[in-house]
Amino acid sequence: MALVLHASSTNKNGYKALIAAEYSGVKVQLVENFEMGVSNKTPEYLKMNPIGKIPVLETPDGPIFESNAIARYVTRLKADNPLYGSTLIDYGRIEQWIDFASLEIDDHLLCWFIPRMRVALHLPPVEEAAIAALKKALSVLNSHLASNTYLVGHSVTLADIIMTCNLYLGFSRIMTKAFTSEFPHVERYFWTLANQPNFRKVFGEVKQVETVPPVAKKPEQHKETAKPKAKEEPKKEAKKVEKPKEPEPAAEEEAPKPKPKNPLDLLPPSPMVLDDWKRLYSNTKTNFREVAIKGFWDMYDPEGYSLWFCDYKYNDENTFSFVTLNKVGGFLQRMDLARKYAFGKMLIIGSEPPYKVKGLWLFRGQEIPKFIMDECYDMELYEWRKVDVSDEEQKERVSQMIEDHEPFEGEALLDAKCFK
């Protein structure tokens, strides 16, 4: 049985095992189409990890969960693996920095990041404490790296892999250049490791985040604060007979604010009903060109919708089929916010690496919706070009991409994924 890693292609904890496997010459297969919040809730997954945390590694002897434990297991499959050093003191220091990376770096980064992703309640004092603790940890790390290229010894160890994967979240999602410039040796260390071939195979190209994600309260939070006050109303009414009270100004703030309309909902009505097209696409099993493709062009409204080609900018990095497939799958998952306003096809092209990724998207309106560009960071990894439907060559290319025509532009299709 091969080693099978259950994690999405964008999970930095899954990256630890994949990079350790690259250095160790161990084959680890990443589960295709793993969807966080769905795949890790199935009975089969919960049997491997009852908590449902990601990742889990399937081995011939049974499953292993917790990302550091998985990375250790993969590393120890190779006898005398240099990732664990060559002496007992090396081993001890590697374990020291693994714990430091988890307890002092990762924990504080997540405490800062998760509330801003609307997964937990944002509390400013807690955030301030997390940032202060993170800065203290980065200062310690920066001092150590002032005279060391790697955490332990003179080559990459498991400690470097785990530290870099934890820093990856910070650099790519929340630590801007203005924040990290205070720690120049940490910056040098991270970019040196992130650009090592074995890291790049898994990470792809890493870009530092330009702005800290804004704080946005969930609508549910307003409802929760309103419930306790609603219970007190009868008491207030009873007291009015004895002594009238003026309504508190805070009561006005409890009323939920109307949700702002998406600008796309304010566009003039379109004769093209997106759900009708998606239904036709899904239900057409034979004569696809004659039924679905013809139906699409009959429905298409060039005033209310626009078509776009996209090409992945870094195809040279697509050297592993499963990583490329999961990269595209992760992109489609993060596009979920656009489901009401879009339809897409993503083609993974080539019979051998490097694989090319090309896409076709139908969007409501004449431009790529701004809220999608703002929320889905993958968008910037692609070159976007608006389709000129008056050009018969471009129109035929659209038809071929919708129907998964093979060969496509002279090459075989590795896979085709649909967003609908």
Side-chain angles (χ1 to χ4, degrees), residues 229-271:
K229 301 219 171 185
K231 293 178 182 177
E232 294 175 5
E233 286 179 3
K235 295 182 180 179
K236 289 182 181 179
E237 288 175 4
K239 291 181 181 178
K240 280 182 182 176
V241 179
E242 193 175 314
K243 185 179 179 182
K245 281 189 178 182
E246 297 204 3
E248 298 179 4
E252 294 180 5
E253 298 175 2
E254 292 170 14
K257 295 179 181 179
K259 186 178 179 180
K261 284 192 174 183
N262 189 304
L264 298 183
D265 294 328
L266 304 178
L267 292 175
S270 169

mmCIF file of all heavy atoms in Angstrom, residues 229-271:
data_model
loop_
_atom_site.group_PDB
_atom_site.id
_atom_site.type_symbol
_atom_site.label_atom_id
_atom_site.label_comp_id
_atom_site.label_asym_id
_atom_site.label_seq_id
_atom_site.Cartn_x
_atom_site.Cartn_y
_atom_site.Cartn_z
ATOM 1 N N LYS A 229 -30.539 40.588 25.128
ATOM 2 C CA LYS A 229 -31.271 41.820 25.389
ATOM 3 C C LYS A 229 -32.748 41.630 25.104
ATOM 4 O O LYS A 229 -33.581 42.247 25.720
ATOM 5 C CB LYS A 229 -30.700 42.943 24.538
ATOM 6 C CG LYS A 229 -29.229 43.176 24.818
ATOM 7 C CD LYS A 229 -28.888 44.631 24.820
ATOM 8 C CE LYS A 229 -27.460 44.834 25.317
ATOM 9 N NZ LYS A 229 -27.138 46.235 25.451
ATOM 10 N N ALA A 230 -33.075 40.756 24.143
ATOM 11 C CA ALA A 230 -34.475 40.523 23.829
ATOM 12 C C ALA A 230 -35.203 39.907 25.022
ATOM 13 O O ALA A 230 -36.358 40.177 25.264
ATOM 14 C CB ALA A 230 -34.596 39.603 22.619
ATOM 15 N N LYS A 231 -34.496 39.070 25.800
ATOM 16 C CA LYS A 231 -35.097 38.431 26.970
ATOM 17 C C LYS A 231 -35.378 39.430 28.081
ATOM 18 O O LYS A 231 -36.212 39.229 28.921
ATOM 19 C CB LYS A 231 -34.182 37.322 27.482
ATOM 20 C CG LYS A 231 -34.057 36.147 26.523
ATOM 21 C CD LYS A 231 -33.102 35.124 27.080
ATOM 22 C CE LYS A 231 -32.947 33.967 26.105
ATOM 23 N NZ LYS A 231 -31.972 32.981 26.589
ATOM 24 N N GLU A 232 -34.647 40.530 28.109
ATOM 25 C CA GLU A 232 -34.801 41.507 29.175
ATOM 26 C C GLU A 232 -35.966 42.459 28.934
ATOM 27 O O GLU A 232 -36.386 43.173 29.805
ATOM 28 C CB GLU A 232 -33.516 42.324 29.310
ATOM 29 C CG GLU A 232 -32.341 41.484 29.790
ATOM 30 C CD GLU A 232 -31.070 42.293 29.797
ATOM 31 O OE1 GLU A 232 -31.162 43.498 29.518
ATOM 32 O OE2 GLU A 232 -30.022 41.725 30.095
ATOM 33 N N GLU A 233 -36.519 42.470 27.721
ATOM 34 C CA GLU A 233 -37.558 43.439 27.392
ATOM 35 C C GLU A 233 -38.777 43.356 28.299
ATOM 36 O O GLU A 233 -39.284 44.385 28.733
ATOM 37 C CB GLU A 233 -37.952 43.278 25.928
ATOM 38 C CG GLU A 233 -36.892 43.820 24.999
ATOM 39 C CD GLU A 233 -37.255 43.637 23.542
ATOM 40 O OE1 GLU A 233 -38.365 43.141 23.275
ATOM 41 O OE2 GLU A 233 -36.420 43.982 22.683
ATOM 42 N N PRO A 234 -39.276 42.141 28.606
ATOM 43 C CA PRO A 234 -40.449 42.091 29.495
ATOM 44 C C PRO A 234 -40.196 42.760 30.831
ATOM 45 O O PRO A 234 -41.048 43.431 31.366
ATOM 46 C CB PRO A 234 -40.704 40.594 29.662
ATOM 47 C CG PRO A 234 -40.096 39.995 28.439
ATOM 48 C CD PRO A 234 -38.914 40.841 28.129
ATOM 49 N N LYS A 235 -38.983 42.610 31.376
ATOM 50 C CA LYS A 235 -38.657 43.229 32.655
ATOM 51 C C LYS A 235 -38.710 44.740 32.545
ATOM 52 O O LYS A 235 -39.181 45.437 33.412
ATOM 53 C CB LYS A 235 -37.280 42.782 33.124
ATOM 54 C CG LYS A 235 -37.211 41.293 33.437
ATOM 55 C CD LYS A 235 -35.832 40.929 33.940
ATOM 56 C CE LYS A 235 -35.750 39.441 34.250
ATOM 57 N NZ LYS A 235 -34.416 39.051 34.713
ATOM 58 N N LYS A 236 -38.214 45.274 31.433
ATOM 59 C CA LYS A 236 -38.212 46.725 31.248
ATOM 60 C C LYS A 236 -39.638 47.253 31.175
ATOM 61 O O LYS A 236 -39.963 48.291 31.697
ATOM 62 C CB LYS A 236 -37.447 47.079 29.978
ATOM 63 C CG LYS A 236 -35.968 46.858 30.106
ATOM 64 C CD LYS A 236 -35.269 47.264 28.830
ATOM 65 C CE LYS A 236 -33.771 47.029 28.939
ATOM 66 N NZ LYS A 236 -33.083 47.387 27.702
ATOM 67 N N GLU A 237 -40.531 46.492 30.499
ATOM 68 C CA GLU A 237 -41.905 46.940 30.360
ATOM 69 C C GLU A 237 -42.599 46.956 31.720
ATOM 70 O O GLU A 237 -43.398 47.842 32.011
ATOM 71 C CB GLU A 237 -42.645 46.000 29.406
ATOM 72 C CG GLU A 237 -42.206 46.171 27.959
ATOM 73 C CD GLU A 237 -42.849 45.173 27.058
ATOM 74 O OE1 GLU A 237 -43.690 44.391 27.549
ATOM 75 O OE2 GLU A 237 -42.509 45.160 25.859
ATOM 76 N N ALA A 238 -42.292 45.974 32.555
ATOM 77 C CA ALA A 238 -42.916 45.925 33.874
ATOM 78 C C ALA A 238 -42.516 47.126 34.704
ATOM 79 O O ALA A 238 -43.286 47.670 35.473
ATOM 80 C CB ALA A 238 -42.535 44.636 34.590
ATOM 81 N N LYS A 239 -41.289 47.587 34.562
ATOM 82 C CA LYS A 239 -40.797 48.710 35.351
ATOM 83 C C LYS A 239 -41.342 50.046 34.866
ATOM 84 O O LYS A 239 -41.321 51.019 35.568
ATOM 85 C CB LYS A 239 -39.280 48.735 35.318
ATOM 86 C CG LYS A 239 -38.663 47.579 36.078
ATOM 87 C CD LYS A 239 -37.148 47.668 36.021
ATOM 88 C CE LYS A 239 -36.532 46.500 36.765
ATOM 89 N NZ LYS A 239 -35.069 46.530 36.703
ATOM 90 N N LYS A 240 -41.824 50.085 33.622
ATOM 91 C CA LYS A 240 -42.303 51.348 33.058
ATOM 92 C C LYS A 240 -43.479 51.895 33.856
ATOM 93 O O LYS A 240 -43.671 53.091 33.964
ATOM 94 C CB LYS A 240 -42.708 51.140 31.593
ATOM 95 C CG LYS A 240 -41.550 51.130 30.648
ATOM 96 C CD LYS A 240 -42.040 50.965 29.232
ATOM 97 C CE LYS A 240 -40.841 50.899 28.297
ATOM 98 N NZ LYS A 240 -41.260 50.637 26.911
ATOM 99 N N VAL A 241 -44.304 51.006 34.435
ATOM 100 C CA VAL A 241 -45.460 51.440 35.209
ATOM 101 C C VAL A 241 -45.011 52.203 36.434
ATOM 102 O O VAL A 241 -45.579 53.199 36.834
ATOM 103 C CB VAL A 241 -46.310 50.220 35.633
ATOM 104 C CG1 VAL A 241 -47.494 50.642 36.455
ATOM 105 C CG2 VAL A 241 -46.734 49.461 34.394
ATOM 106 N N GLU A 242 -43.926 51.694 37.005
ATOM 107 C CA GLU A 242 -43.442 52.306 38.241
ATOM 108 C C GLU A 242 -42.590 53.527 37.965
ATOM 109 O O GLU A 242 -42.765 54.579 38.547
ATOM 110 C CB GLU A 242 -42.617 51.253 38.990
ATOM 111 C CG GLU A 242 -42.309 51.631 40.417
ATOM 112 C CD GLU A 242 -41.615 50.488 41.110
ATOM 113 O OE1 GLU A 242 -42.069 49.339 40.972
ATOM 114 O OE2 GLU A 242 -40.601 50.747 41.750
ATOM 115 N N LYS A 243 -41.679 53.390 37.001
ATOM 116 C CA LYS A 243 -40.759 54.478 36.685
ATOM 117 C C LYS A 243 -40.329 54.363 35.236
ATOM 118 O O LYS A 243 -39.608 53.459 34.876
ATOM 119 C CB LYS A 243 -39.525 54.404 37.582
ATOM 120 C CG LYS A 243 -38.584 55.577 37.386
ATOM 121 C CD LYS A 243 -37.412 55.460 38.323
ATOM 122 C CE LYS A 243 -36.445 56.612 38.130
ATOM 123 N NZ LYS A 243 -35.272 56.506 38.981
ATOM 124 N N PRO A 244 -40.848 55.265 34.376
ATOM 125 C CA PRO A 244 -40.495 55.168 32.943
ATOM 126 C C PRO A 244 -39.005 55.320 32.713
ATOM 127 O O PRO A 244 -38.345 56.074 33.407
ATOM 128 C CB PRO A 244 -41.274 56.339 32.308
ATOM 129 C CG PRO A 244 -42.236 56.820 33.355
ATOM 130 C CD PRO A 244 -41.704 56.407 34.669
ATOM 131 N N LYS A 245 -38.572 54.568 31.743
ATOM 132 C CA LYS A 245 -37.154 54.661 31.359
ATOM 133 C C LYS A 245 -37.057 54.999 29.894
ATOM 134 O O LYS A 245 -37.830 54.503 29.090
ATOM 135 C CB LYS A 245 -36.435 53.334 31.602
ATOM 136 C CG LYS A 245 -36.074 53.105 33.036
ATOM 137 C CD LYS A 245 -35.183 51.881 33.136
ATOM 138 C CE LYS A 245 -34.768 51.654 34.577
ATOM 139 N NZ LYS A 245 -33.876 50.502 34.684
ATOM 140 N N GLU A 246 -36.105 55.830 29.583
ATOM 141 C CA GLU A 246 -35.881 56.167 28.176
ATOM 142 C C GLU A 246 -35.081 55.055 27.513
ATOM 143 O O GLU A 246 -34.222 54.457 28.141
ATOM 144 C CB GLU A 246 -35.117 57.484 28.061
ATOM 145 C CG GLU A 246 -35.910 58.627 28.634
ATOM 146 C CD GLU A 246 -35.488 59.943 28.047
ATOM 147 O OE1 GLU A 246 -34.630 59.930 27.157
ATOM 148 O OE2 GLU A 246 -36.015 60.947 28.471
ATOM 149 N N PRO A 247 -35.405 54.743 26.257
ATOM 150 C CA PRO A 247 -34.648 53.671 25.573
ATOM 151 C C PRO A 247 -33.182 54.008 25.456
ATOM 152 O O PRO A 247 -32.815 55.157 25.231
ATOM 153 C CB PRO A 247 -35.297 53.600 24.180
ATOM 154 C CG PRO A 247 -35.971 54.924 24.005
ATOM 155 C CD PRO A 247 -36.375 55.379 25.373
ATOM 156 N N GLU A 248 -32.356 52.976 25.678
ATOM 157 C CA GLU A 248 -30.911 53.180 25.590
ATOM 158 C C GLU A 248 -30.485 53.307 24.140
ATOM 159 O O GLU A 248 -30.996 52.615 23.270
ATOM 160 C CB GLU A 248 -30.182 51.992 26.223
ATOM 161 C CG GLU A 248 -30.495 51.841 27.695
ATOM 162 C CD GLU A 248 -29.781 50.661 28.300
ATOM 163 O OE1 GLU A 248 -28.988 50.030 27.568
ATOM 164 O OE2 GLU A 248 -30.005 50.380 29.471
ATOM 165 N N PRO A 249 -29.527 54.173 23.868
ATOM 166 C CA PRO A 249 -29.061 54.344 22.489
ATOM 167 C C PRO A 249 -28.547 53.044 21.884
ATOM 168 O O PRO A 249 -28.630 52.833 20.702
ATOM 169 C CB PRO A 249 -27.914 55.359 22.620
ATOM 170 C CG PRO A 249 -28.173 56.056 23.922
ATOM 171 C CD PRO A 249 -28.865 55.072 24.801
ATOM 172 N N ALA A 250 -28.026 52.145 22.723
ATOM 173 C CA ALA A 250 -27.454 50.901 22.203
ATOM 174 C C ALA A 250 -28.500 50.026 21.531
ATOM 175 O O ALA A 250 -28.188 49.186 20.718
ATOM 176 C CB ALA A 250 -26.782 50.118 23.329
ATOM 177 N N ALA A 251 -29.781 50.244 21.919
ATOM 178 C CA ALA A 251 -30.825 49.410 21.346
ATOM 179 C C ALA A 251 -30.907 49.563 19.839
ATOM 180 O O ALA A 251 -31.203 48.625 19.126
ATOM 181 C CB ALA A 251 -32.168 49.753 21.970
ATOM 182 N N GLU A 252 -30.637 50.774 19.350
ATOM 183 C CA GLU A 252 -30.674 51.005 17.917
ATOM 184 C C GLU A 252 -29.582 50.220 17.213
ATOM 185 O O GLU A 252 -29.752 49.764 16.096
ATOM 186 C CB GLU A 252 -30.515 52.495 17.612
ATOM 187 C CG GLU A 252 -31.688 53.326 18.111
ATOM 188 C CD GLU A 252 -31.505 54.793 17.785
ATOM 189 O OE1 GLU A 252 -30.520 55.110 17.091
ATOM 190 O OE2 GLU A 252 -32.315 55.605 18.221
ATOM 191 N N GLU A 253 -28.449 50.024 17.892
ATOM 192 C CA GLU A 253 -27.322 49.345 17.278
ATOM 193 C C GLU A 253 -27.558 47.837 17.169
ATOM 194 O O GLU A 253 -26.891 47.157 16.420
ATOM 195 C CB GLU A 253 -26.057 49.605 18.088
ATOM 196 C CG GLU A 253 -25.688 51.065 18.128
ATOM 197 C CD GLU A 253 -24.509 51.338 19.039
ATOM 198 O OE1 GLU A 253 -23.971 50.377 19.603
ATOM 199 O OE2 GLU A 253 -24.161 52.501 19.181
ATOM 200 N N GLU A 254 -28.541 47.326 17.986
ATOM 201 C CA GLU A 254 -28.774 45.891 17.973
ATOM 202 C C GLU A 254 -29.472 45.434 16.699
ATOM 203 O O GLU A 254 -29.378 44.289 16.312
ATOM 204 C CB GLU A 254 -29.609 45.483 19.177
ATOM 205 C CG GLU A 254 -28.867 45.648 20.506
ATOM 206 C CD GLU A 254 -29.798 45.457 21.680
ATOM 207 O OE1 GLU A 254 -30.907 44.947 21.473
ATOM 208 O OE2 GLU A 254 -29.416 45.811 22.800
ATOM 209 N N ALA A 255 -30.237 46.327 16.076
ATOM 210 C CA ALA A 255 -30.958 45.924 14.868
ATOM 211 C C ALA A 255 -29.973 45.561 13.774
ATOM 212 O O ALA A 255 -29.063 46.331 13.479
ATOM 213 C CB ALA A 255 -31.849 47.056 14.404
ATOM 214 N N PRO A 256 -30.092 44.365 13.187
ATOM 215 C CA PRO A 256 -29.147 43.960 12.129
ATOM 216 C C PRO A 256 -29.234 44.890 10.934
ATOM 217 O O PRO A 256 -30.321 45.237 10.478
ATOM 218 C CB PRO A 256 -29.587 42.541 11.775
ATOM 219 C CG PRO A 256 -31.000 42.450 12.238
ATOM 220 C CD PRO A 256 -31.121 43.357 13.425
ATOM 221 N N LYS A 257 -28.083 45.294 10.453
ATOM 222 C CA LYS A 257 -28.041 46.176 9.292
ATOM 223 C C LYS A 257 -28.370 45.373 8.037
ATOM 224 O O LYS A 257 -27.970 44.223 7.915
ATOM 225 C CB LYS A 257 -26.651 46.801 9.153
ATOM 226 C CG LYS A 257 -26.307 47.715 10.309
ATOM 227 C CD LYS A 257 -24.912 48.290 10.122
ATOM 228 C CE LYS A 257 -24.546 49.191 11.286
ATOM 229 N NZ LYS A 257 -23.186 49.750 11.161
ATOM 230 N N PRO A 258 -29.098 45.996 7.109
ATOM 231 C CA PRO A 258 -29.392 45.261 5.868
ATOM 232 C C PRO A 258 -28.118 44.941 5.117
ATOM 233 O O PRO A 258 -27.205 45.765 5.027
ATOM 234 C CB PRO A 258 -30.262 46.248 5.070
ATOM 235 C CG PRO A 258 -29.961 47.589 5.654
ATOM 236 C CD PRO A 258 -29.636 47.353 7.096
ATOM 237 N N LYS A 259 -28.040 43.702 4.630
ATOM 238 C CA LYS A 259 -26.852 43.270 3.899
ATOM 239 C C LYS A 259 -26.766 44.026 2.573
ATOM 240 O O LYS A 259 -27.733 44.064 1.818
ATOM 241 C CB LYS A 259 -26.935 41.769 3.639
ATOM 242 C CG LYS A 259 -25.685 41.189 3.011
ATOM 243 C CD LYS A 259 -25.838 39.698 2.840
ATOM 244 C CE LYS A 259 -24.604 39.104 2.185
ATOM 245 N NZ LYS A 259 -24.729 37.645 2.009
ATOM 246 N N PRO A 260 -25.615 44.663 2.283
ATOM 247 C CA PRO A 260 -25.504 45.392 1.009
ATOM 248 C C PRO A 260 -25.628 44.452 -0.172
ATOM 249 O O PRO A 260 -25.128 43.332 -0.152
ATOM 250 C CB PRO A 260 -24.096 46.009 1.087
ATOM 251 C CG PRO A 260 -23.357 45.173 2.067
ATOM 252 C CD PRO A 260 -24.382 44.706 3.060
ATOM 253 N N LYS A 261 -26.320 44.928 -1.191
ATOM 254 C CA LYS A 261 -26.519 44.099 -2.376
ATOM 255 C C LYS A 261 -25.241 43.988 -3.181
ATOM 256 O O LYS A 261 -24.469 44.935 -3.275
ATOM 257 C CB LYS A 261 -27.637 44.686 -3.242
ATOM 258 C CG LYS A 261 -29.031 44.437 -2.692
ATOM 259 C CD LYS A 261 -30.078 44.782 -3.731
ATOM 260 C CE LYS A 261 -31.467 44.403 -3.249
ATOM 261 N NZ LYS A 261 -32.497 44.676 -4.274
ATOM 262 N N ASN A 262 -25.046 42.813 -3.749
ATOM 263 C CA ASN A 262 -23.919 42.637 -4.661
ATOM 264 C C ASN A 262 -24.187 43.482 -5.912
ATOM 265 O O ASN A 262 -25.296 43.441 -6.452
ATOM 266 C CB ASN A 262 -23.798 41.157 -5.043
ATOM 267 C CG ASN A 262 -22.528 40.859 -5.803
ATOM 268 O OD1 ASN A 262 -22.252 41.455 -6.831
ATOM 269 N ND2 ASN A 262 -21.751 39.931 -5.276
ATOM 270 N N PRO A 263 -23.191 44.262 -6.368
ATOM 271 C CA PRO A 263 -23.402 45.090 -7.562
ATOM 272 C C PRO A 263 -23.912 44.300 -8.764
ATOM 273 O O PRO A 263 -24.634 44.829 -9.606
ATOM 274 C CB PRO A 263 -22.003 45.650 -7.836
ATOM 275 C CG PRO A 263 -21.314 45.634 -6.517
ATOM 276 C CD PRO A 263 -21.852 44.443 -5.804
ATOM 277 N N LEU A 264 -23.575 43.009 -8.845
ATOM 278 C CA LEU A 264 -24.034 42.202 -9.966
ATOM 279 C C LEU A 264 -25.543 41.980 -9.924
ATOM 280 O O LEU A 264 -26.175 41.769 -10.960
ATOM 281 C CB LEU A 264 -23.306 40.860 -9.985
ATOM 282 C CG LEU A 264 -21.786 40.922 -10.160
ATOM 283 C CD1 LEU A 264 -21.205 39.517 -10.228
ATOM 284 C CD2 LEU A 264 -21.395 41.708 -11.399
ATOM 285 N N ASP A 265 -26.123 42.031 -8.706
ATOM 286 C CA ASP A 265 -27.568 41.870 -8.585
ATOM 287 C C ASP A 265 -28.315 43.108 -9.058
ATOM 288 O O ASP A 265 -29.535 43.067 -9.254
ATOM 289 C CB ASP A 265 -27.947 41.563 -7.133
ATOM 290 C CG ASP A 265 -27.414 40.210 -6.678
ATOM 291 O OD1 ASP A 265 -27.325 39.302 -7.522
ATOM 292 O OD2 ASP A 265 -27.082 40.073 -5.487
ATOM 293 N N LEU A 266 -27.607 44.223 -9.204
ATOM 294 C CA LEU A 266 -28.231 45.473 -9.623
ATOM 295 C C LEU A 266 -28.158 45.684 -11.132
ATOM 296 O O LEU A 266 -28.676 46.678 -11.650
ATOM 297 C CB LEU A 266 -27.557 46.652 -8.902
ATOM 298 C CG LEU A 266 -27.560 46.579 -7.365
ATOM 299 C CD1 LEU A 266 -26.816 47.771 -6.777
ATOM 300 C CD2 LEU A 266 -28.987 46.530 -6.834
ATOM 301 N N LEU A 267 -27.482 44.753 -11.837
ATOM 302 C CA LEU A 267 -27.395 44.879 -13.291
ATOM 303 C C LEU A 267 -28.769 44.657 -13.928
ATOM 304 O O LEU A 267 -29.627 43.977 -13.348
ATOM 305 C CB LEU A 267 -26.408 43.845 -13.843
ATOM 306 C CG LEU A 267 -24.930 44.037 -13.486
ATOM 307 C CD1 LEU A 267 -24.119 42.855 -13.998
ATOM 308 C CD2 LEU A 267 -24.393 45.333 -14.068
ATOM 309 N N PRO A 268 -28.995 45.213 -15.132
ATOM 310 C CA PRO A 268 -30.271 44.968 -15.823
ATOM 311 C C PRO A 268 -30.481 43.470 -16.024
ATOM 312 O O PRO A 268 -29.525 42.717 -16.204
ATOM 313 C CB PRO A 268 -30.079 45.686 -17.167
ATOM 314 C CG PRO A 268 -29.017 46.703 -16.916
ATOM 315 C CD PRO A 268 -28.104 46.106 -15.892
ATOM 316 N N PRO A 269 -31.730 43.019 -15.987
ATOM 317 C CA PRO A 269 -32.008 41.588 -16.174
ATOM 318 C C PRO A 269 -31.431 41.076 -17.488
ATOM 319 O O PRO A 269 -31.396 41.782 -18.491
ATOM 320 C CB PRO A 269 -33.542 41.519 -16.173
ATOM 321 C CG PRO A 269 -33.974 42.754 -15.460
ATOM 322 C CD PRO A 269 -32.955 43.801 -15.775
ATOM 323 N N SER A 270 -30.965 39.826 -17.467
ATOM 324 C CA SER A 270 -30.409 39.215 -18.669
ATOM 325 C C SER A 270 -31.321 38.083 -19.134
ATOM 326 O O SER A 270 -31.841 37.315 -18.307
ATOM 327 C CB SER A 270 -29.012 38.659 -18.393
ATOM 328 O OG SER A 270 -28.568 37.855 -19.469
ATOM 329 N N PRO A 271 -31.508 37.945 -20.452
ATOM 330 C CA PRO A 271 -32.315 36.817 -20.948
ATOM 331 C C PRO A 271 -31.623 35.480 -20.722
ATOM 332 O O PRO A 271 -32.256 34.429 -20.803
ATOM 333 C CB PRO A 271 -32.467 37.120 -22.444
ATOM 334 C CG PRO A 271 -31.321 38.023 -22.778
ATOM 335 C CD PRO A 271 -31.072 38.838 -21.542
#
